[in-house]
Amino acid sequence: MPHVAFDKLRALAIGSQAVGLAIIITLETYLHDAARPWQGVVFAAMLLSALTIALVRLYRRNLSRKRWAERVKDENET
């Protein structure tokens, strides 16, 4: 597989986690004790986004491997 210089999924994962952390800190700063439930919601959204990105990455990797295997098979048949 070719090495990609810029990985959009990695950037999205890092960005979403950074935004989530900033939101959690902001909630704690302005809402104090009332922030706890909202921080839980933000944390759940962070986990959901990380899981979604991981699944998309796995799907793309498997699709790429499948296409590569088909290309190798086609090359060997000719």
Side-chain angles (χ1 to χ4, degrees):
M1 276 183 239
H3 178 68
V4 179
F6 180 76
D7 186 358
K8 292 179 186 178
L9 285 178
R10 185 178 304 264
L12 182 63
I14 293 169
S16 67
Q17 298 303 301
V19 168
L21 181 62
I23 291 172
I24 287 174
I25 291 170
T26 303
L27 287 170
E28 181 66 30
T29 300
Y30 291 108
L31 297 180
H32 304 290
D33 291 334
R36 297 290 181 215
W38 293 109
Q39 288 174 331
V41 170
V42 171
F43 184 66
M46 289 169 65
L47 289 176
L48 183 62
S49 69
L51 178 61
T52 302
I53 291 168
L55 289 175
V56 169
R57 178 182 293 280
L58 182 63
Y59 172 78
R60 287 184 180 178
R61 183 182 309 135
N62 288 343
L63 184 62
S64 175
R65 286 179 180 166
K66 181 180 177 182
R67 288 181 179 164
W68 179 80
E70 288 173 356
R71 260 194 323 263
V72 168
K73 181 182 174 187
D74 290 342
E75 289 174 3
N76 288 338
E77 288 178 358
T78 58

